[in-house]
Amino acid sequence: MNTQESTWYPVARADDLPPRHVFQGQLNGLELALWRADHGRVNAWENRCPHRSVRFSLGVNTGDRLRCQYHGWQYRSGDGRCTVIPASSGSAPPASLCAQTFAVAEAHGYVWVNPDAPSPQPAGAALIPAFEPLSATLRSLVFNAGVDEVEATLAHYAEHEPDAIPGSSTLSRNGIGIDLAWQNASGARRLRLWLQPAHATKTIVHGSASFDGIGESEVRRRCNDVLTLLRRHVEGRAVSAPRGAVASPATKPRVIPVFQRAPEKIVDTVKEDKGRAPMRATVAARRTTAEDIVAFTLALPAGESVDFEAGAHIDVHTPGGVVRQYSLVNAPGERDRLVIGVKLEPDSRGGSRSMHAALQPGDSLTISHPKNHFPLVPGAGGVLIAGGIGITPILAMGAALQYAGLPYSLHYFVRGKEHAAFGERLEKLGGLQMHTGLAVEQVTAAVDAALADAGNARHIYACGPRPLIDLVQARARLLGIASERVHFELFANTVAHERDEPFRVRLQSTGAEFQVPAGVSLSDALKEHGVAIETSCEQGVCGTCRTGVIDGEPEHRDVYLNEQERQGRRCLMPCVSRSRSSLLVLDL
């Protein structure tokens, strides 16, 4: 096999690139924006606009160009050349202004990238390694370990397949994958796997299989179970081994038969920089609870317990490799498991899409202990207002208020009954009013009626789309309801950058000082200067990147901090917020 073939890697499934979508991928630490033009051509670009380094995956696929969300610069399919700069519409952009493109091919149901080949080039299936897929395509699975550890685990299993007739097993490798064939009493068996080295501690395994005499769905179930168990073993070794170390033969996992179903627990001992250690939860159940919404029941590790109040959420390390926050719908006393609802977002950057596509009962994933930034006020009744997937924390609040014997009403706004999630839990709550398919003026009237229930004692809790939150806040002000009694939680935030101004940042602990240019987020600037801060939503919604301020005046653009915290000027969300003063001193 030649060198060029060995450098082609699968970076996404073909169905990860639906029309007008931008998929975020990774390869050897490089972040990729993968997208399909309307005429079918697939593009693989570095996920950074060359203007201000904003992620392309946050932008818009127009069908033949990618439009950056920041200043609206547009880059055409193929060579990545910039064709539109809105602020300079009178002149054509220079020919040298291009996105960083990579050689890309679509073959065998996957998208492949060769970072070493010239680009653009007419890549076809003939250039791709000859591991064509078998009849049953398996789900792509993220292993939180380096490619060497993953390959060693898979190869060890392949060489000791316990179901095989002695002497019938064959193993082939081609630099990016493993091809295993064997015979058992029922006929021929074949398992074919490709490895995608996302970065030093994350490998994505793509695969297919065929078993004589067994239907494709059963083949998928059995092989997916095996891969899930092997992932637990390799991740268990990866968290306990020194960084960069490869497992020795003595630490290789014991052989797990293909037909074995019982999961084995791996204790994750990785510590977070802040708070308690994350947990490895297991998907105990999965079901569709509304259109585009899946409910996941997560079983806790043996011996692990959690305690939390209504309004809490957990951080979930999704199969797509990104961290997302999901509210807990648990009722009081329901603490032996965690229940979340995940809506498939049309512009998903890998979070909800990977949860819907890849997560099945028996799978494990890393989650945080519950956190609560949206709590109920103790001892007070409430008016609960939810829109769409925003029902998840509101359900827990309704159950908690009902259990405590406190007065409450719950107003749920959805487009239609098919979009109402967790119907069986809603039926157990009193004071529920469903609002389906309302026009804008009808929504306003319904919100006014809901707020009238608040009186002088109840607090108002709202969660859902931004227009609903804005409406609740505006109508509450008109009715003279104090802002301290209006609480809300948003899942998304839109930030404008047109008026960005540069400012300087100083780190309190070291005295290091540098400039944050217009168009570059404070969090990105910190990372570029070697200051590692944890980020997640990058929209100022989740609170993950909250950072202390020693001096200066923050320009808050988040939807996480309350008004008192904003006025206090002692913290900010560097993923979106900036500085009104020329110098901002951070507690870093």
Side-chain angles (χ1 to χ4, degrees):
M1 176 169 298
N2 63 46
T3 302
Q4 186 183 55
E5 286 181 330
S6 68
T7 57
W8 283 96
Y9 297 94
V11 293
R13 297 166 64 109
D15 56 12
D16 286 331
L17 275 63
R20 303 298 177 101
H21 177 66
V22 185
F23 181 82
Q24 181 174 314
Q26 281 183 308
L27 180 61
N28 288 323
L30 177 68
E31 196 172 304
L32 299 171
L34 305 165
W35 63 285
R36 188 191 306 278
D38 284 354
H39 55 71
R41 179 165 189 162
V42 172
N43 297 269
W45 297 356
E46 183 179 8
N47 195 20
R48 295 284 179 182
C49 173
H51 178 216
R52 292 294 188 182
S53 295
V54 174
R55 286 182 172 89
F56 277 128
S57 54
L58 300 176
V60 177
N61 176 353
T62 69
D64 61 351
R65 289 171 290 184
L66 271 193
R67 184 173 71 241
C68 177
Q69 71 144 2
Y70 185 27
H71 286 119
W73 291 26
Q74 299 184 33
Y75 302 81
R76 70 187 180 193
S77 173
D79 60 7
R81 180 175 173 179
C82 182
T83 58
V84 175
I85 299 179
S88 304
S89 56
S91 59
S96 59
L97 186 55
C98 298
Q100 175 62 56
T101 66
F102 298 98
V104 61
E106 185 173 2
H108 313 324
Y110 292 89
V111 176
W112 302 73
V113 165
N114 185 338
D116 302 315
S119 172
Q121 73 170 44
L127 296 172
I128 305 305
F131 269 20
E132 295 186 5
L134 302 172
S135 58
T137 300
L138 309 179
R139 60 190 173 93
S140 298
L141 195 63
V142 175
F143 283 62
N144 291 305
V147 68
D148 291 336
E149 290 92 339
V150 173
E151 183 179 18
T153 299
L154 297 175
H156 180 75
Y157 175 81
E159 292 167 354
H160 299 85
E161 166 54 53
D163 189 41
I165 296 173
S168 68
S169 297
T170 61
L171 175 66
S172 302
R173 304 190 199 191
N174 72 345
I176 63 161
I178 296 172
D179 190 40
L180 171 67
W182 74 96
Q183 293 280 336
N184 74 355
S186 301
R189 300 284 192 262
R190 201 160 187 187
L191 181 62
R192 182 168 289 165
L193 303 171
W194 294 317
L195 306 184
Q196 174 189 344
H199 58 64
T201 58
K202 184 173 85 172
T203 304
I204 303 175
V205 178
H206 310 279
S208 59
S210 64
F211 290 2
D212 284 353
I214 300 179
E216 290 184 12
S217 60
E218 180 65 10
V219 172
R220 291 191 188 96
R221 182 182 67 81
R222 297 185 183 189
C223 291
N224 288 335
D225 285 349
V226 168
L227 290 176
T228 297
L229 291 172
L230 290 176
R231 177 175 66 177
R232 292 172 187 166
H233 279 278
V234 71
E235 289 180 351
R237 293 203 317 282
V239 299
S240 59
R243 183 176 296 275
V246 179
S248 65
T251 62
K252 289 179 180 177
R254 70 176 181 82
V255 174
I256 307 169
V258 169
F259 299 100
Q260 181 174 320
R261 298 273 298 161
E264 296 186 355
K265 184 174 75 72
I266 293 294
V267 178
D268 191 338
T269 59
V270 175
K271 297 291 182 181
E272 291 180 315
D273 292 336
K274 302 176 183 177
R276 302 177 63 185
M279 299 180 288
R280 295 293 296 177
T282 302
V283 179
R286 167 192 171 132
R287 68 181 182 84
T288 300
T289 184
E291 186 170 315
D292 290 334
I293 299 177
V294 171
F296 292 98
T297 300
L298 306 178
L300 300 174
E304 190 72 58
S305 63
V306 295
D307 188 23
F308 57 91
E309 302 298 330
H313 72 272
I314 56 174
D315 298 336
V316 176
H317 296 248
T318 69
V322 295
V323 179
R324 291 291 181 262
Q325 291 71 40
Y326 295 106
S327 297
L328 298 170
V329 305
N330 295 57
E334 191 180 9
R335 297 297 183 264
D336 59 334
R337 62 191 186 277
L338 302 177
V339 183
I340 60 174
V342 180
K343 180 184 178 182
L344 179 60
E345 297 295 343
D347 297 324
S348 169
R349 292 180 281 151
S352 66
R353 184 175 297 279
S354 68
M355 295 281 282
H356 275 243
L359 210 56
Q360 298 295 332
D363 289 348
S364 67
L365 73 168
T366 299
I367 64 172
S368 71
H369 281 260
K371 309 172 184 179
N372 201 341
H373 306 307
F374 188 42
L376 288 167
V377 174
V383 174
L384 312 178
I385 301 174
I389 191 60
I391 190 63
T392 48
I394 297 299
L395 270 173
M397 290 177 165
L401 291 170
Q402 183 168 282
Y403 180 80
L406 294 168
Y408 77 95
S409 60
L410 196 163
H411 298 261
Y412 189 14
F413 293 83
V414 289
R415 284 178 289 166
K417 291 184 178 180
E418 69 276 11
H419 296 283
F422 295 99
E424 75 289 348
R425 290 177 180 264
L426 289 168
E427 291 176 356
K428 297 178 182 179
L429 298 179
L432 170 66
Q433 295 187 46
M434 293 289 297
H435 305 280
T436 59
L438 300 186
V440 174
E441 61 274 10
Q442 293 174 308
V443 173
T444 301
V447 167
D448 286 347
L451 296 179
D453 290 340
N456 295 318
R458 298 193 196 182
H459 284 252
I460 298 154
Y461 304 89
C463 185
R466 184 62 182 265
L468 178 62
I469 303 296
D470 291 343
L471 177 63
V472 170
Q473 290 180 298
R475 304 308 292 182
R477 283 195 298 270
L478 286 175
L479 293 172
I481 298 174
S483 61
E484 293 78 16
R485 292 172 54 207
V486 181
H487 316 271
F488 62 91
E489 186 170 55
L490 279 167
F491 294 143
N493 180 32
T494 301
V495 179
H497 300 275
E498 288 75 11
R499 297 182 180 180
D500 279 4
E501 293 290 341
F503 62 96
R504 297 195 65 76
V505 164
R506 180 185 301 154
L507 308 183
Q508 175 71 7
S509 62
T510 65
E513 191 172 310
F514 54 86
Q515 181 161 297
V516 180
V520 176
S521 72
L522 174 54
S523 59
D524 281 349
L526 288 168
K527 291 175 183 177
E528 288 175 4
H529 287 80
V531 182
I533 62 169
E534 186 179 0
T535 59
S536 179
C537 70
E538 298 183 336
Q539 299 180 68
V541 172
C542 69
T544 300
C545 63
R546 179 171 176 158
T547 300
V549 175
I550 301 297
D551 194 15
E553 182 181 359
E555 180 186 339
H556 296 292
R557 299 182 178 183
D558 64 279
V559 292
Y560 177 85
L561 298 175
N562 60 35
E563 192 59 32
Q564 183 177 1
E565 290 170 319
R566 290 168 180 265
Q567 295 297 328
R569 301 180 182 179
R570 287 295 172 260
C571 61
L572 86 168
M573 301 300 157
C575 67
V576 293
S577 298
R578 302 184 68 80
S579 179
R580 297 186 187 279
S581 55
S582 60
L583 176 65
L584 197 65
V585 183
L586 300 180
D587 187 16
L588 289 173

